[in-house]
Amino acid sequence: MSLGQALKQLRKKQGLTLADLAEQTQSHVGNLSRIERGAARPSLDLLYRIAQALGFSITDVFSVAENRHLNPRQVALNAIFISLLEEDQLLLLEFAELLAKRTSRPHGAIHVDTRELPVDSEEENQTDCN
């Protein structure tokens, strides 16, 4: 996939029009359209501004262009993360680190108690009456 096609795909995933992207990147609609069609190539500075406006890194853009498959959930999470307040980003990062720790523990380290829970005598009596 060409760089222009990758930019178009990412722009559409974000629900942006060329006019929206042009405004955010301080570029012109015609210029962005030529880039997406492959009739022009963006400068590195413009490519950085486009990637930033789309909520991606330049690496992400090139990954799409090189047909490396991006996980759609990862793309969605990245877009949400960028839109959060800084304190919420930190909270989400802490949560992700806790999840990573949980999944890195060997299964033998997880203990599940198999004993039956005690039944409350009132509940037992109600069950006996029914």
Side-chain angles (χ1 to χ4, degrees), residues 100-111:
K101 285 179 187 176
R102 183 181 82 170
T103 58
S104 67
R105 280 194 308 195
H107 292 295
I110 300 172
H111 175 72

Side-chain angles (χ1 to χ4, degrees), residues 1 4 9 16 21 35 42 53 63 68-69 89 100 118-119 123 129:
M1 170 183 308
Q9 179 181 338
L16 295 174
L21 187 58
I35 291 168
S63 291
R68 291 187 193 154
H69 203 55
Q89 287 178 345
V119 177
E123 287 178 14
C129 294

Side-chain angles (χ1 to χ4, degrees), residues 77 81 84 86-102:
L77 184 59
F81 181 83
L84 294 174
E86 185 175 348
E87 61 191 31
D88 292 336
Q89 287 178 345
L90 293 172
L91 184 62
L92 183 56
L93 184 58
E94 287 178 24
F95 181 68
E97 288 170 349
L98 285 173
L99 288 174
K101 285 179 187 176
R102 183 181 82 170

Side-chain angles (χ1 to χ4, degrees), residues 2-16:
S2 73
L3 179 60
Q5 291 170 328
L7 291 171
K8 183 176 183 177
Q9 179 181 338
L10 293 172
R11 175 180 60 80
K12 288 188 170 199
K13 272 189 179 180
Q14 296 299 80
L16 295 174

Side-chain angles (χ1 to χ4, degrees), residues 15-88:
L16 295 174
T17 65
L18 277 172
D20 296 332
L21 187 58
E23 184 179 322
Q24 290 182 28
T25 60
Q26 299 173 353
S27 188
H28 299 280
V29 172
N31 187 35
L32 296 177
S33 176
R34 283 188 296 279
I35 291 168
E36 287 187 356
R37 288 181 286 126
R41 294 189 185 268
S43 67
L44 188 55
D45 179 58
L46 179 55
L47 181 58
Y48 176 78
R49 291 193 323 257
I50 292 170
Q52 189 174 32
L54 295 174
F56 295 96
S57 69
I58 290 178
T59 305
D60 292 334
V61 172
F62 284 119
S63 291
V64 171
E66 293 175 358
N67 288 324
R68 291 187 193 154
H69 203 55
L70 288 178
N71 181 328
R73 291 177 297 211
Q74 182 181 358
V75 172
L77 184 59
N78 192 27
I80 291 168
F81 181 83
I82 290 168
S83 69
L84 294 174
L85 297 171
E86 185 175 348
E87 61 191 31
D88 292 336

